[in-house]
Amino acid sequence: MSVIIDAIKRLFTHEGGSKEIAKERLKLVLIHDRTSISSEIMEQIKEEIIQVISKHLEIDKDGVEFSLEGEENSVALVANIPIKGLRRHKKKS
Amino acid sequence: MGKVIVVTSGKGGVGKTTAVANIGTALASLDQKVALVDADIGLRNLDVVLGLENRIVYDIVDVVEGRAKLKQALIKDKRFPSLYLLPAAQTRDKEAVSPEDMIGLCNKLREEFDFIIIDSPAGIERGFKNAVTPADMAIIVTTPEVSAVRDADRVIGLLEAMEKEDSKLIVNRVRSKLVDRGDMLSVDDVLEILSIELIGVIPEDEHIIISTNRGEPLVNNNTAPAGKSFMDIARRILGEDVPMNIYTDKDDLFTKFRRLFKWR
């Protein structure tokens, strides 16, 4: 009986498409493998960028996200830095 | 002067040894004199796949350490008069042979043979370096899976660093039905990611399991899709321009009938 139910289920549920997931995961993992940037260096870059931006903006340091992302033939370092508030510069009057 | 080809992959279990055995027998059946070298010292398997496991007297380490002459260690395959196997040692490890030993060994084999095909062990350590160093050409075997393609990419990078310019790819165990339904990376997907030249596509084929059980190469079997694919690869190695076909197994009536009652 369960065999028949499975067969009916298979008829109505959409199989397929896991290849796109595989391809995306593969591309991402290869970006890291190929650039051979260690997580240590990534962490250092992150710290330094936080320092620079903190001079001018108040940011949520715990919410900072850093990642390497690939698009077609290029790789980008994507940083997501949440800003808490702008430090008000005193306007010269 | 013969040509030295290494078959490698990074990841284990993707079909290196099967590829070596079948490309070797295909080349031998095309009247080439072929020596197959098992570089997987400690985990030898090429002898079993070829069905020559009962004929080993001396192995590669015996030759390197001077206990046997190269000619004594080479096993002649009675089914293919121009096919020979140099087996790996089973009770030693990869350190027993150096890359320089392999260069020396292959240079001797070049004088006698048209093709020397080296079966590389999995991994990227000493055994890999032993297998790759003497090679003029590398064939990288992968399957359409994330882990295998990732390891293939790493190996391609290492080969480039070793200035091995001539590298080609085999995509093994392709299941056309899964590819059509979008549940398996296609050959084009793999090529796009690895950007390397393709030398052959091998479909998933149960004939491989049967022939490996028997210790018989598949190439004599004209109905096996994988056998035809390996024969095409051998022709491409010889410089022929063979169109890239992905052969499929046509189910006979009996198989179809049986499938019907197994719901698959």
Side-chain angles (χ1 to χ4, degrees), chain A residues 62-76:
Chain A
D62 298 326
V64 175
E65 277 173 29
F66 259 69
S67 61
L68 287 169
E69 284 177 20
E71 281 172 30
E72 293 300 314
N73 295 313
S74 63
V75 181

Side-chain angles (χ1 to χ4, degrees), chain A residues 5-17:
Chain A
I5 292 169
D6 278 350
I8 294 167
K9 266 188 191 165
R10 217 176 297 135
L11 211 63
F12 289 101
T13 54
H14 177 72
E15 272 187 289

Side-chain angles (χ1 to χ4, degrees), chain A residues 3-4 7 10 14-23 25-27 29-30 33-34 72, chain B residues 145-147 149-151 153-154 179 181-186 189 192-195 263-264:
Chain A
V3 177
I4 298 165
R10 217 176 297 135
H14 177 72
E15 272 187 289
S18 67
K19 158 197 136 156
E20 287 306 324
I21 301 170
K23 206 171 165 185
R25 291 177 58 220
L26 192 51
K27 279 183 176 172
V29 95
L30 287 186
D33 288 1
R34 285 175 184 170
E72 293 300 314
Chain B
E145 289 161 300
V146 177
S147 50
V149 177
R150 181 194 197 178
D151 289 1
D153 186 78
R154 184 99 167 84
V179 174
R181 165 178 117 184
D183 271 327
M184 180 174 261
L185 293 169
S186 70
D189 292 329
E192 179 198 323
I193 288 166
L194 294 178
S195 44
W263 276 93
R264 273 274 163 186

Side-chain angles (χ1 to χ4, degrees), chain B residues 122-141:
Chain B
I124 50 173
E125 297 83 19
R126 176 66 170 268
F128 168 78
K129 296 215 166 64
N130 281 345
V132 167
T133 305
D136 307 313
M137 176 193 181
I139 293 179
I140 296 123
V141 183

Side-chain angles (χ1 to χ4, degrees), chain A:
Chain A
M1 194 57 192
S2 71
V3 177
I4 298 165
I5 292 169
D6 278 350
I8 294 167
K9 266 188 191 165
R10 217 176 297 135
L11 211 63
F12 289 101
T13 54
H14 177 72
E15 272 187 289
S18 67
K19 158 197 136 156
E20 287 306 324
I21 301 170
K23 206 171 165 185
E24 278 312 304
R25 291 177 58 220
L26 192 51
K27 279 183 176 172
L28 215 66
V29 95
L30 287 186
I31 288 166
H32 280 269
D33 288 1
R34 285 175 184 170
T35 49
S36 67
I37 293 177
S38 68
S39 51
E40 208 174 296
I41 293 171
M42 276 292 283
E43 198 57 33
Q44 201 184 330
I45 295 172
K46 188 173 152 183
E47 286 302 318
E48 286 173 17
I49 287 180
I50 287 175
Q51 273 181 28
V52 171
I53 294 175
S54 299
K55 282 183 192 170
H56 307 284
L57 300 167
E58 194 183 338
I59 59 174
D60 173 13
K61 286 176 188 170
D62 298 326
V64 175
E65 277 173 29
F66 259 69
S67 61
L68 287 169
E69 284 177 20
E71 281 172 30
E72 293 300 314
N73 295 313
S74 63
V75 181
L77 174 65
V78 178
N80 190 355
I81 306 170
I83 298 169
K84 278 183 180 167
L86 292 171
R87 268 185 203 159
R88 206 176 286 275
H89 285 276
K90 282 176 186 167
K91 279 181 188 167
K92 288 172 190 170
S93 56

Side-chain angles (χ1 to χ4, degrees), chain B residues 11-23:
Chain B
K11 190 177 180 296
V14 295
K16 283 181 295 296
T17 304
T18 310
V20 169
N22 283 287
I23 294 170

